[in-house]
């Protein structure tokens, strides 16, 4: 892709960001985007673990039809806590705050993000919001569902709604600050020669995501303020008994929350573009179409919120419009999928661990996208609304897509982040277990939903037990798959083989500096002279065969 005007040195020859000032204070007051990314990594891993524990409790309850493990009240708290932790404190920040923070300055040839102090502030704001939410979960719980629908949430719930709402409101400012930082950096700090259409598609995906963050997050913030005022001070915005309109809340909530789906999935799509190009040794097919499809998804994502509301008082004619727009938003996602497939065609495909996660992403996201068309069809949606079909579709998109992309990115850039390689065997086993366990967990739920099993119930008819047992068994396999990286990635930090600057033979600017990078990323400003993903001009010294990576 590019030729910097310096020679990359190895981490053994110079001080890097991991070893430069290693006191706790230096980390907590750092303005280095790479360290801030690692602070986010530790945080979101904690929240992912907590959300996963609540999911495990839910699946254990559903092993039997009688609802005999948990009370209905605690079951409500378990699935709500799972949803709040995963959506607001893992899925939304995971790829942008961790991988985006670490990589965007490196990919554009900058020393840091445009506003380093604001970047650190965003992490502190995020942690304050998360603290409020965790305190709510652990000191009385939250039983409203992660969507916080009034009037139950605003008037009747006896759980810690106000604290959780405050946490979501505060955490939203972290998203806004991160989005502003990314936009400013991409606009103003690109290296010489790095034109818009030489940018990596990872950067394009984060640019589109940042637009959604900046434009959409204030809407959910205002919504949380109104809900808080109704809950605490008795205002009548949403409760019909006080003259409010609960459907107004749904309009406001989903106007943000459907674009928020793309905050979770667009960055993962950027990760997949990088992985597929690297491990097929091909320039990404239809580069400009893939780049523009990210912007199209971000724009169209603001126009489809009403498909969540087919069974409300929304008119049938409005529903028809939202149905058509929802079918339309599938087109730019399909463009990405077809172009990834075309890139693989006749490519020299390598079955490294990141590529396994990329294939897993493509398979699971395809199922999630196609089943979304069922829910975009008004007649089908009326039958499937609030059933396990919706739960399964949502998880195929968010977990099968978002988390698979995140895991692929962590494994792809782990050598760059840490300067260490990880175990091929255990990482590939993890990818396979996650893929198999995920399908075993959530595919039966499509059938359960079509048969009419409602979500959020802790008891069900006996004829649905076999499918629920399958789902819980799959969740056990999935949990093992997710737990494995915690062990082999931690082990790699201690005993892993030292990583070269470019272990995969990739083309981006981030691979032109040491692993891990020096504190200011580059000793000299890199100069970009080639197109993105130009593997034909890659120097022989940077091919993967030189680094011991086999492609065939």
């Amino acid at each position: 892709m590019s030729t910097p005007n310096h020679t990359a040195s190895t981490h053994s020859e110079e001080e890097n960001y991991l070893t430069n000032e290693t006191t706790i204070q230096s980390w907590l007051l750092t303005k280095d985007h790479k360290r801030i990314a690692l602070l986010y990594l530790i945080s979101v891993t904690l929240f992912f673990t907590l959300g996963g524990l609540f999911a495990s409790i839910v699946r254990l309850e559903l092993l039997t039809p009688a609802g005999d493990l948990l009370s209905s009240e605690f079951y409500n708290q378990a699935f709500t806590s799972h949803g709040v932790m995963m959506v607001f404190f893992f899925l939304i920040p995971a790829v942008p705050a961790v991988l985006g923070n670490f990589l965007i300055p490196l990919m554009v040839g900058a020393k840091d993000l445009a506003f380093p102090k604001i970047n650190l502030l965003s992490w502190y704001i995020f942690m304050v919001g998360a603290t409020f939410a965790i305190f709510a979960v652990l000191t009385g719980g939250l039983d409203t569902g992660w969507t916080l629908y009034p009037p139950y949430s605003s008037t009747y719930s006896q759980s810690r709604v106000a604290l959780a709402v405050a946490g979501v409101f505060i955490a939203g400012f972290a998203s806004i600050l991160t989005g502003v930082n990314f936009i400013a950096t991409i606009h103003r700090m690109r290296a010489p020669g790095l034109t818009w259409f030489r940018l990596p598609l990872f950067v394009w995906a984060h640019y589109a995501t940042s637009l959604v963050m900046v434009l959409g997050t204030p809407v959910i913030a205002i919504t949380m303020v109104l809900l808080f005022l109704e809950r605490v001070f008795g205002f009548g915005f949403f409760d019909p008994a006080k003259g409010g309109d609960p459907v107004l809340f749904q309009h406001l909530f989903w106007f943000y929350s459907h674009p928020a789906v793309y905050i979770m999935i667009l960055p993962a799509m950027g990760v997949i573009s990088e992985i597929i190009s690297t491990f097929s040794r091909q320039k990404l097919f239809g580069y400009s179409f893939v780049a523009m499809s990210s912007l199209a998804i971000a724009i169209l994502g603001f126009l489809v919120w009403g498909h969540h509301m087919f069974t409300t008082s929304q008119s049938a004619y409005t529903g028809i419009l939202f149905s058509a727009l929802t079918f339309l938003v599938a087109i730019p996602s399909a463009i990405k999928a077809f172009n990834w497939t075309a890139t693989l065609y006749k490519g020299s495909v390598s079955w490294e661990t990141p590529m396994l996660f990329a294939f897993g992403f493509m398979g699971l996201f395809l199922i999630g996208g196609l089943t979304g068309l069922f829910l975009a069809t008004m007649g089908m949606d009326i039958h499937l609304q609030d059933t396990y079909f919706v739960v399964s579709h949502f998880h195929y998109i968010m977990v099968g897509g978002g988390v698979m992309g995140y895991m692929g990115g962590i494994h792809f850039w782990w050598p760059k982040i840490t300067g260490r390689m990880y175990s091929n065997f255990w990482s590939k086993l993890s990818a396979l277990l996650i893929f198999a366990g995920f399908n075993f967990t959530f595919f039966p739920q499509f059938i359960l939903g079509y048969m009419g099993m409602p979500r959020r119930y802790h008891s069900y008819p006996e004829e649905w037990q076999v499918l629920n047992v399958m789902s819980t068994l799959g969740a056990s396999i999935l949990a093992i798959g997710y737990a494995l990286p915690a062990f082999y990635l931690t082990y790699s930090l201690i005993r892993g083989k030292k990583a070269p600057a470019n272990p995969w033979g990739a083309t981006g600017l981030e691979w032109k500096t040491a692993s891990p990078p020096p504190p200011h990323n580059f000793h000299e400003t890199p100069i970009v002279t080639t197109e993105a993903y130009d593997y034909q001009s890659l120097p022989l010294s940077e091919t993967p065969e030189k680094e011991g990576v086999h492609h065939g």
Side-chain angles (χ1 to χ4, degrees):
M1 171 187 171
S2 50
T3 305
N5 58 1
H6 72 282
T7 303
S9 57
T10 64
H11 60 87
S12 61
E13 297 170 345
E14 62 180 21
E15 193 172 44
N16 61 60
Y17 80 98
L18 288 172
T19 59
N20 181 39
E21 294 185 75
T22 56
T23 64
I24 294 176
Q25 182 180 6
S26 71
W27 276 82
L28 294 179
L29 298 179
T30 184
K31 295 185 287 294
D32 186 342
H33 68 100
K34 300 180 291 297
R35 286 190 167 190
I36 295 169
L38 291 187
L39 292 175
Y40 267 115
L41 174 62
I42 295 167
S43 304
V44 300
T45 301
L46 172 64
F47 304 140
F48 178 82
T49 303
L50 186 58
L53 289 174
F54 283 114
S56 300
I57 294 171
V58 169
R59 286 312 324 166
L60 286 173
E61 170 61 271
L62 294 174
L63 263 176
T64 58
D68 48 8
L69 178 64
L70 308 174
S71 66
S72 58
E73 291 80 8
F74 189 76
Y75 182 77
N76 290 347
Q77 293 179 18
F79 71 70
T80 300
S81 300
H82 164 69
V84 169
M85 285 294 109
M86 288 299 198
V87 172
F88 294 113
F89 300 103
F90 176 74
L91 285 168
I92 288 177
V95 181
V98 178
L99 296 177
N101 243 324
F102 193 97
L103 294 165
I104 285 177
L106 288 164
M107 286 185 164
V108 302
K111 291 183 177 181
D112 209 311
L113 287 172
F115 309 112
K117 292 181 181 179
I118 289 178
N119 193 24
L120 179 61
L121 177 63
S122 74
W123 178 73
Y124 277 105
I125 291 173
F126 174 75
M127 290 305 296
V128 170
T131 301
F132 271 79
I134 291 174
F135 189 73
V137 166
L138 299 180
T139 60
L142 184 67
D143 65 357
T144 62
W146 74 272
T147 52
L148 300 164
Y149 277 1
Y152 181 71
S153 62
S154 64
T155 305
Y156 303 105
S157 173
Q158 300 301 308
S159 62
R160 306 301 292 271
V161 177
L163 272 176
V165 167
V168 172
F169 172 78
I170 293 169
F173 285 94
S175 286
I176 295 171
L177 294 178
T178 299
V180 169
N181 227 339
F182 287 175
I183 291 170
T185 303
I186 295 166
H187 269 276
R188 303 297 298 170
M189 300 180 69
R190 302 193 307 276
L194 187 59
T195 60
W196 279 96
F197 286 95
R198 285 180 174 177
L199 284 173
L201 289 165
F202 180 89
V203 177
W204 272 109
H206 277 78
Y207 184 76
T209 303
S210 298
L211 295 176
V212 179
M213 287 177 171
V214 172
L215 297 175
T217 308
V219 178
I220 193 67
I222 293 168
T223 309
M224 293 299 103
V225 168
L226 296 178
L227 182 60
F228 186 88
L229 291 174
E230 183 165 304
R231 173 78 181 182
V232 176
F233 298 107
F235 286 81
F237 299 114
F238 307 121
D239 186 351
K242 301 173 183 176
D245 181 4
V247 179
L248 171 62
F249 178 89
Q250 293 191 37
H251 279 291
L252 292 170
F253 183 87
W254 290 114
F255 183 80
Y256 162 78
S257 293
H258 196 85
V261 168
Y262 303 116
I263 296 176
M264 307 174 208
I265 203 69
L266 268 173
M269 290 175 164
V271 170
I272 300 307
S273 294
E274 300 297 320
I275 292 173
I276 285 178
S277 179
T278 298
F279 293 106
S280 63
R281 318 306 298 165
Q282 292 272 80
K283 181 176 181 179
L284 204 86
F285 184 85
Y287 166 93
S288 60
F289 282 89
V290 177
M292 290 300 102
S293 69
S294 293
L295 293 179
I297 289 171
I299 294 167
L300 291 172
F302 281 103
L303 305 178
V304 299
W305 78 91
H307 70 220
H308 294 273
M309 302 169 61
F310 287 150
T311 56
T312 68
S313 58
Q314 176 179 274
S315 76
Y317 297 106
T318 305
I320 292 171
L321 176 62
F322 280 121
S323 179
L325 288 169
T326 304
F327 276 85
L328 182 63
V329 79
I331 294 174
S333 296
I335 288 172
K336 291 182 183 293
F338 284 122
N339 283 17
W340 292 331
T341 305
T343 303
L344 294 169
Y345 180 64
K346 291 188 177 180
S348 179
V349 176
S350 171
W351 295 89
E352 301 298 330
T353 301
M355 194 62 156
L356 293 182
F357 280 109
F359 277 120
F361 174 98
M362 292 176 68
L364 300 179
F365 184 77
L366 175 65
I367 295 173
L370 291 176
T371 53
L373 299 180
F374 288 85
L375 299 174
T377 306
M378 289 179 64
M380 283 295 294
D381 184 79
I382 291 170
H383 170 61
L384 298 171
Q385 181 73 25
D386 280 332
T387 68
Y388 264 85
F389 193 98
V390 177
V391 174
S392 187
H393 159 73
F394 183 82
H395 282 82
Y396 265 90
I397 294 291
M398 293 297 93
V399 183
V403 180
M404 288 293 274
Y406 176 70
M407 295 294 288
I410 289 292
H411 285 79
F412 184 50
W413 284 291
W414 187 259
K416 179 58 58 180
I417 293 171
T418 66
R420 299 284 177 171
M421 302 300 291
Y422 49 80
S423 165
N424 266 325
F425 171 79
W426 290 109
S427 59
K428 290 179 179 179
L429 177 63
S430 172
L432 294 174
L433 286 175
I434 290 172
F435 183 79
F438 182 89
N439 281 294
F440 224 87
T441 302
F442 292 104
F443 198 85
Q445 294 178 18
F446 282 129
I447 303 171
L448 285 167
Y450 185 77
M451 294 169 66
M453 181 174 174
R455 60 180 177 176
R456 300 179 175 177
Y457 280 54
H458 78 315
S459 60
Y460 54 86
E462 291 184 1
E463 56 264 31
W464 292 337
Q465 184 174 11
V466 171
L467 290 169
N468 273 291
V469 169
M470 290 174 61
S471 191
T472 299
L473 174 61
S476 304
I477 299 170
L478 187 61
I480 295 170
Y482 282 138
L484 281 176
F487 294 100
Y488 64 74
L489 292 180
T490 301
Y491 180 82
S492 77
L493 294 174
I494 304 168
R495 301 291 298 274
K497 179 184 175 182
K498 291 182 178 180
N502 192 3
W504 311 124
T507 60
L509 284 180
E510 74 272 26
W511 303 107
K512 308 299 181 183
T513 188
S515 298
H520 296 292
N521 297 341
F522 303 96
H523 293 297
E524 299 177 24
T525 302
I527 299 174
V528 178
T529 59
T530 60
E531 301 301 316
Y533 312 112
D534 185 7
Y535 284 95
Q536 285 67 38
S537 65
L538 191 70
L540 184 62
S541 61
E542 295 185 22
T543 58
E545 288 76 16
K546 285 281 184 179
E547 309 292 3
V549 178
H550 173 69
H551 287 259

